[in-house]
Amino acid sequence: MNKRIAVLAGDGIGPEVVRAGLRVLDEIAQKYGHQFETKQALIGGCAIDATGLPLPQETVDICKQSDAILLGAVGGPKWDTLPGEKRPEKGLLDIRKELQLFANLRPVSVFSSLSDASTLKKEIVKDVDLMIVRELTGGIYFGEPRERKEVDGEEVAIDTLKYTRSEIERIIRKGFELAKVRNKKVTSVDKANVLESSRLWREVAEDVAKDYPEIELEHMLVDNAAMQLIRSPKSLDVVVTENMFGDILSDEASMLTGSLGMLPSASLSAIGPSLYEPIHGSAPDIAGKGIANPLATIASVAMMLKYEFSLEKEAEAIEKAIDAVLDAGHRTVDLAQGEAARSTDEMTELVIQQIKAEAFV
Ligand code: NAD
């Protein structure tokens, strides 16, 4: 297979973990006989420094000409005082819009060797394996009007929560498609007891479910979902929800695993290449020290191979290698509990050696 990958390393630890992901990708290419051509482009703070914009047009063009995108992270204190339109995070919102990255997939599975790392009891988190599917290009983060104004002498701020039937349908359908190859259950999360947009969401979910009779659909109010995620996460399979609810619930779910440094994500496009990235940010507090956990980015590379290129065996080889390295007791600084922590490079090398040693899956 011959594929082009746009690489947006970004800021802080972004370049460090992306380098790790690309080393693992190289190993997969060699072992399985593929060619991955990578092209670097700027996003976030480094793009602001170089061009004045968080998402230069050249980056959009490189992404559109690629088969997939690997992103590190953006942001940092250096750019925190810039106005909203000019901040690094605006680069992320813009690329979601430009490439219509409408579905954010966050798998949350707890590695058995790490079940002690969670703040929850081991018996609650052991064997958790769920997927949060968050709508990413609609809802209150994008709705218009969004403004501040003065009404009757008082300052008022307005955001708008708006969804069309087709926006809801495509994300719900994605949830059902994923459930088909998982445990055949979709939990649709809304706030239908209060919000009109949620009442439409629920109706659409019911309509889509008619096309998937083999899959169980349950509706859950978002406040209850926040509770069930920490009460009985094993009862969940695919959780599909709108943008802001998904933003909050997916961070809550990430804590089931104990570390942000472990979790990958995919943002699937409606029109072209999809984007793969770790869920963590640029971690300015540890940037440049060579100690960031690279596993979330390496797992994001595995997601890219699986979801974008249908290279299931290759993705599985990476996942098994991560598992084996953790089982052998190796930990980065965010996971270490007394034992000596491995550096980013050491952890990456351990994964590579494990892939080399694995029989072809
Ligand atoms: P963060 O995820 O960067 O860091 C939170 C904590 O987790 C820090 O203590 C950090 O050291 C640790 N951490 C994160 N990833 C780690 C890893 N791979 N290995 C070891 N430890 C890790 O979140 P934050 O501190 O809230 O945000 C920092 C910056 O990142 C901000 O500018 C924020 O806007 C940005 N951010 C970007 C993204 C993105 O690019 N998708 C996502 C979230 C935050």
mmCIF file with all atom_site columns, all heavy atoms in Angstrom, residues 111-124:
data_model
loop_
_atom_site.group_PDB
_atom_site.id
_atom_site.type_symbol
_atom_site.label_atom_id
_atom_site.label_alt_id
_atom_site.label_comp_id
_atom_site.label_asym_id
_atom_site.label_entity_id
_atom_site.label_seq_id
_atom_site.pdbx_PDB_ins_code
_atom_site.Cartn_x
_atom_site.Cartn_y
_atom_site.Cartn_z
_atom_site.occupancy
_atom_site.B_iso_or_equiv
_atom_site.pdbx_formal_charge
_atom_site.auth_seq_id
_atom_site.auth_comp_id
_atom_site.auth_asym_id
_atom_site.auth_atom_id
_atom_site.pdbx_PDB_model_num
ATOM 1   N N   . PHE A 1 111 ? -6.199  -0.957 29.819 1.00 0.00 ? 111 PHE A N   1
ATOM 2   C CA  . PHE A 1 111 ? -5.230  -2.056 29.772 1.00 0.00 ? 111 PHE A CA  1
ATOM 3   C C   . PHE A 1 111 ? -5.196  -2.726 31.140 1.00 0.00 ? 111 PHE A C   1
ATOM 4   O O   . PHE A 1 111 ? -5.108  -2.030 32.159 1.00 0.00 ? 111 PHE A O   1
ATOM 5   C CB  . PHE A 1 111 ? -3.837  -1.514 29.427 1.00 0.00 ? 111 PHE A CB  1
ATOM 6   C CG  . PHE A 1 111 ? -3.751  -0.955 28.036 1.00 0.00 ? 111 PHE A CG  1
ATOM 7   C CD1 . PHE A 1 111 ? -3.951  0.390  27.798 1.00 0.00 ? 111 PHE A CD1 1
ATOM 8   C CD2 . PHE A 1 111 ? -3.472  -1.787 26.962 1.00 0.00 ? 111 PHE A CD2 1
ATOM 9   C CE1 . PHE A 1 111 ? -3.872  0.907  26.518 1.00 0.00 ? 111 PHE A CE1 1
ATOM 10  C CE2 . PHE A 1 111 ? -3.397  -1.277 25.676 1.00 0.00 ? 111 PHE A CE2 1
ATOM 11  C CZ  . PHE A 1 111 ? -3.592  0.064  25.453 1.00 0.00 ? 111 PHE A CZ  1
ATOM 12  N N   . SER A 1 112 ? -5.240  -4.077 31.155 1.00 0.00 ? 112 SER A N   1
ATOM 13  C CA  . SER A 1 112 ? -5.344  -4.758 32.450 1.00 0.00 ? 112 SER A CA  1
ATOM 14  C C   . SER A 1 112 ? -4.163  -4.399 33.361 1.00 0.00 ? 112 SER A C   1
ATOM 15  O O   . SER A 1 112 ? -4.333  -4.224 34.567 1.00 0.00 ? 112 SER A O   1
ATOM 16  C CB  . SER A 1 112 ? -5.464  -6.269 32.258 1.00 0.00 ? 112 SER A CB  1
ATOM 17  O OG  . SER A 1 112 ? -4.425  -6.703 31.421 1.00 0.00 ? 112 SER A OG  1
ATOM 18  N N   . SER A 1 113 ? -2.987  -4.195 32.760 1.00 0.00 ? 113 SER A N   1
ATOM 19  C CA  . SER A 1 113 ? -1.822  -3.886 33.611 1.00 0.00 ? 113 SER A CA  1
ATOM 20  C C   . SER A 1 113 ? -1.890  -2.472 34.178 1.00 0.00 ? 113 SER A C   1
ATOM 21  O O   . SER A 1 113 ? -1.090  -2.107 35.036 1.00 0.00 ? 113 SER A O   1
ATOM 22  C CB  . SER A 1 113 ? -0.537  -4.069 32.816 1.00 0.00 ? 113 SER A CB  1
ATOM 23  O OG  . SER A 1 113 ? -0.608  -3.338 31.617 1.00 0.00 ? 113 SER A OG  1
ATOM 24  N N   . LEU A 1 114 ? -2.830  -1.672 33.700 1.00 0.00 ? 114 LEU A N   1
ATOM 25  C CA  . LEU A 1 114 ? -2.937  -0.286 34.192 1.00 0.00 ? 114 LEU A CA  1
ATOM 26  C C   . LEU A 1 114 ? -4.196  -0.043 35.022 1.00 0.00 ? 114 LEU A C   1
ATOM 27  O O   . LEU A 1 114 ? -4.506  1.093  35.343 1.00 0.00 ? 114 LEU A O   1
ATOM 28  C CB  . LEU A 1 114 ? -2.947  0.695  33.015 1.00 0.00 ? 114 LEU A CB  1
ATOM 29  C CG  . LEU A 1 114 ? -1.647  0.884  32.242 1.00 0.00 ? 114 LEU A CG  1
ATOM 30  C CD1 . LEU A 1 114 ? -1.828  1.966  31.184 1.00 0.00 ? 114 LEU A CD1 1
ATOM 31  C CD2 . LEU A 1 114 ? -0.510  1.248  33.171 1.00 0.00 ? 114 LEU A CD2 1
ATOM 32  N N   . SER A 1 115 ? -4.926  -1.125 35.357 1.00 0.00 ? 115 SER A N   1
ATOM 33  C CA  . SER A 1 115 ? -6.199  -0.860 36.038 1.00 0.00 ? 115 SER A CA  1
ATOM 34  C C   . SER A 1 115 ? -5.987  -0.221 37.411 1.00 0.00 ? 115 SER A C   1
ATOM 35  O O   . SER A 1 115 ? -6.900  0.369  37.973 1.00 0.00 ? 115 SER A O   1
ATOM 36  C CB  . SER A 1 115 ? -7.083  -2.111 36.108 1.00 0.00 ? 115 SER A CB  1
ATOM 37  O OG  . SER A 1 115 ? -6.359  -3.205 36.537 1.00 0.00 ? 115 SER A OG  1
ATOM 38  N N   . ASP A 1 116 ? -4.760  -0.289 37.940 1.00 0.00 ? 116 ASP A N   1
ATOM 39  C CA  . ASP A 1 116 ? -4.456  0.396  39.201 1.00 0.00 ? 116 ASP A CA  1
ATOM 40  C C   . ASP A 1 116 ? -4.288  1.905  39.019 1.00 0.00 ? 116 ASP A C   1
ATOM 41  O O   . ASP A 1 116 ? -4.334  2.659  39.987 1.00 0.00 ? 116 ASP A O   1
ATOM 42  C CB  . ASP A 1 116 ? -3.135  -0.134 39.786 1.00 0.00 ? 116 ASP A CB  1
ATOM 43  C CG  . ASP A 1 116 ? -3.345  -1.442 40.499 1.00 0.00 ? 116 ASP A CG  1
ATOM 44  O OD1 . ASP A 1 116 ? -4.485  -1.666 40.958 1.00 0.00 ? 116 ASP A OD1 1
ATOM 45  O OD2 . ASP A 1 116 ? -2.397  -2.232 40.574 1.00 0.00 ? 116 ASP A OD2 1
ATOM 46  N N   . ALA A 1 117 ? -4.051  2.340  37.775 1.00 0.00 ? 117 ALA A N   1
ATOM 47  C CA  . ALA A 1 117 ? -3.749  3.763  37.532 1.00 0.00 ? 117 ALA A CA  1
ATOM 48  C C   . ALA A 1 117 ? -4.995  4.637  37.623 1.00 0.00 ? 117 ALA A C   1
ATOM 49  O O   . ALA A 1 117 ? -4.897  5.846  37.774 1.00 0.00 ? 117 ALA A O   1
ATOM 50  C CB  . ALA A 1 117 ? -3.108  3.929  36.159 1.00 0.00 ? 117 ALA A CB  1
ATOM 51  N N   . SER A 1 118 ? -6.182  4.031  37.530 1.00 0.00 ? 118 SER A N   1
ATOM 52  C CA  . SER A 1 118 ? -7.415  4.813  37.564 1.00 0.00 ? 118 SER A CA  1
ATOM 53  C C   . SER A 1 118 ? -7.721  5.265  38.983 1.00 0.00 ? 118 SER A C   1
ATOM 54  O O   . SER A 1 118 ? -7.344  4.598  39.952 1.00 0.00 ? 118 SER A O   1
ATOM 55  C CB  . SER A 1 118 ? -8.570  3.965  37.037 1.00 0.00 ? 118 SER A CB  1
ATOM 56  O OG  . SER A 1 118 ? -9.775  4.678  37.176 1.00 0.00 ? 118 SER A OG  1
ATOM 57  N N   . THR A 1 119 ? -8.428  6.392  39.079 1.00 0.00 ? 119 THR A N   1
ATOM 58  C CA  . THR A 1 119 ? -8.857  6.834  40.411 1.00 0.00 ? 119 THR A CA  1
ATOM 59  C C   . THR A 1 119 ? -10.085 6.037  40.875 1.00 0.00 ? 119 THR A C   1
ATOM 60  O O   . THR A 1 119 ? -10.491 6.123  42.015 1.00 0.00 ? 119 THR A O   1
ATOM 61  C CB  . THR A 1 119 ? -9.229  8.330  40.397 1.00 0.00 ? 119 THR A CB  1
ATOM 62  O OG1 . THR A 1 119 ? -10.086 8.550  39.281 1.00 0.00 ? 119 THR A OG1 1
ATOM 63  C CG2 . THR A 1 119 ? -8.009  9.208  40.281 1.00 0.00 ? 119 THR A CG2 1
ATOM 64  N N   . LEU A 1 120 ? -10.670 5.261  39.952 1.00 0.00 ? 120 LEU A N   1
ATOM 65  C CA  . LEU A 1 120 ? -11.817 4.436  40.327 1.00 0.00 ? 120 LEU A CA  1
ATOM 66  C C   . LEU A 1 120 ? -11.347 3.048  40.772 1.00 0.00 ? 120 LEU A C   1
ATOM 67  O O   . LEU A 1 120 ? -10.232 2.627  40.480 1.00 0.00 ? 120 LEU A O   1
ATOM 68  C CB  . LEU A 1 120 ? -12.765 4.277  39.136 1.00 0.00 ? 120 LEU A CB  1
ATOM 69  C CG  . LEU A 1 120 ? -13.434 5.551  38.633 1.00 0.00 ? 120 LEU A CG  1
ATOM 70  C CD1 . LEU A 1 120 ? -14.438 5.211  37.544 1.00 0.00 ? 120 LEU A CD1 1
ATOM 71  C CD2 . LEU A 1 120 ? -14.123 6.297  39.754 1.00 0.00 ? 120 LEU A CD2 1
ATOM 72  N N   . LYS A 1 121 ? -12.262 2.332  41.431 1.00 0.00 ? 121 LYS A N   1
ATOM 73  C CA  . LYS A 1 121 ? -11.906 0.989  41.913 1.00 0.00 ? 121 LYS A CA  1
ATOM 74  C C   . LYS A 1 121 ? -11.606 0.072  40.735 1.00 0.00 ? 121 LYS A C   1
ATOM 75  O O   . LYS A 1 121 ? -12.274 0.145  39.694 1.00 0.00 ? 121 LYS A O   1
ATOM 76  C CB  . LYS A 1 121 ? -13.084 0.402  42.700 1.00 0.00 ? 121 LYS A CB  1
ATOM 77  C CG  . LYS A 1 121 ? -13.280 1.034  44.033 1.00 0.00 ? 121 LYS A CG  1
ATOM 78  C CD  . LYS A 1 121 ? -14.312 0.204  44.809 1.00 0.00 ? 121 LYS A CD  1
ATOM 79  C CE  . LYS A 1 121 ? -14.808 0.950  46.015 1.00 0.00 ? 121 LYS A CE  1
ATOM 80  N NZ  . LYS A 1 121 ? -16.248 1.170  46.010 1.00 0.00 ? 121 LYS A NZ  1
ATOM 81  N N   . LYS A 1 122 ? -10.646 -0.815 40.968 1.00 0.00 ? 122 LYS A N   1
ATOM 82  C CA  . LYS A 1 122 ? -10.190 -1.729 39.913 1.00 0.00 ? 122 LYS A CA  1
ATOM 83  C C   . LYS A 1 122 ? -11.351 -2.525 39.309 1.00 0.00 ? 122 LYS A C   1
ATOM 84  O O   . LYS A 1 122 ? -11.438 -2.696 38.090 1.00 0.00 ? 122 LYS A O   1
ATOM 85  C CB  . LYS A 1 122 ? -9.172  -2.687 40.552 1.00 0.00 ? 122 LYS A CB  1
ATOM 86  C CG  . LYS A 1 122 ? -8.260  -3.352 39.592 1.00 0.00 ? 122 LYS A CG  1
ATOM 87  C CD  . LYS A 1 122 ? -7.150  -4.052 40.362 1.00 0.00 ? 122 LYS A CD  1
ATOM 88  C CE  . LYS A 1 122 ? -6.310  -4.846 39.385 1.00 0.00 ? 122 LYS A CE  1
ATOM 89  N NZ  . LYS A 1 122 ? -5.073  -5.325 39.966 1.00 0.00 ? 122 LYS A NZ  1
ATOM 90  N N   . GLU A 1 123 ? -12.274 -3.006 40.166 1.00 0.00 ? 123 GLU A N   1
ATOM 91  C CA  . GLU A 1 123 ? -13.360 -3.858 39.640 1.00 0.00 ? 123 GLU A CA  1
ATOM 92  C C   . GLU A 1 123 ? -14.326 -3.063 38.753 1.00 0.00 ? 123 GLU A C   1
ATOM 93  O O   . GLU A 1 123 ? -15.031 -3.633 37.926 1.00 0.00 ? 123 GLU A O   1
ATOM 94  C CB  . GLU A 1 123 ? -14.102 -4.615 40.760 1.00 0.00 ? 123 GLU A CB  1
ATOM 95  C CG  . GLU A 1 123 ? -14.757 -3.752 41.832 1.00 0.00 ? 123 GLU A CG  1
ATOM 96  C CD  . GLU A 1 123 ? -13.826 -3.455 43.007 1.00 0.00 ? 123 GLU A CD  1
ATOM 97  O OE1 . GLU A 1 123 ? -12.599 -3.456 42.831 1.00 0.00 ? 123 GLU A OE1 1
ATOM 98  O OE2 . GLU A 1 123 ? -14.353 -3.184 44.107 1.00 0.00 ? 123 GLU A OE2 1
ATOM 99  N N   . ILE A 1 124 ? -14.372 -1.745 38.912 1.00 0.00 ? 124 ILE A N   1
ATOM 100 C CA  . ILE A 1 124 ? -15.240 -0.912 38.052 1.00 0.00 ? 124 ILE A CA  1
ATOM 101 C C   . ILE A 1 124 ? -14.613 -0.725 36.675 1.00 0.00 ? 124 ILE A C   1
ATOM 102 O O   . ILE A 1 124 ? -15.293 -0.759 35.650 1.00 0.00 ? 124 ILE A O   1
ATOM 103 C CB  . ILE A 1 124 ? -15.465 0.494  38.690 1.00 0.00 ? 124 ILE A CB  1
ATOM 104 C CG1 . ILE A 1 124 ? -16.082 0.388  40.072 1.00 0.00 ? 124 ILE A CG1 1
ATOM 105 C CG2 . ILE A 1 124 ? -16.288 1.394  37.777 1.00 0.00 ? 124 ILE A CG2 1
ATOM 106 C CD1 . ILE A 1 124 ? -17.552 0.160  40.116 1.00 0.00 ? 124 ILE A CD1 1
#
